[in-house]
Amino acid sequence: MSFRIEGQGAQLQVRIDNDSQTGQQVLEAVHACKALSWWSCPSGECSKIGTCEARRDGEAVVLFMTPRAGETLSPSGVAECLRYVLGAPQKAPAH
């Protein structure tokens, strides 16, 4: 599994390409973790996420993250969250 993060204004777009999991499995993992406690990852970046919409693009999942009012999302912080949540290998985020 790999992902790419791109900034679009204040919003981040995250494309997750799946090798072993279906798009539905990725969506379920992201939503289940977020429901537990701000994704419970070590970076704490997820506490800055105001909304996170998910769309499927074939077997890929695309997340559209918008920060809470007064916050800014860090691509590297979101990448750390996703590696934790999805068990993805480290990969430098795109800007």
Side-chain angles (χ1 to χ4, degrees):
M1 179 175 315
S2 64
F3 57 86
R4 184 178 68 238
I5 301 173
E6 297 178 358
Q8 295 184 348
Q11 188 178 62
L12 292 181
Q13 180 178 324
V14 182
R15 181 179 178 85
I16 304 168
D17 294 307
N18 311 296
D19 297 328
S20 60
Q21 297 181 350
T22 66
Q24 187 61 38
Q25 288 171 317
V26 170
L27 287 173
E28 289 171 5
V30 169
H31 289 294
C33 191
K34 186 176 180 190
L36 288 176
S37 63
W38 290 113
W39 296 16
S40 64
C41 75
S43 81
E45 190 70 21
C46 16
S47 66
K48 297 177 183 178
I49 298 171
T51 62
C52 180
E53 296 179 32
R55 297 185 193 138
R56 291 177 66 173
D57 182 11
E59 282 302 309
V61 174
V62 182
L63 304 175
F64 299 89
M65 298 180 179
T66 303
R68 293 178 171 275
E71 297 284 0
T72 302
L73 293 175
S74 160
S76 61
V78 169
E80 185 176 348
C81 286
L82 290 173
R83 285 191 297 273
Y84 178 80
V85 170
L86 302 173
Q90 284 205 331
K91 183 176 180 178
H95 296 282

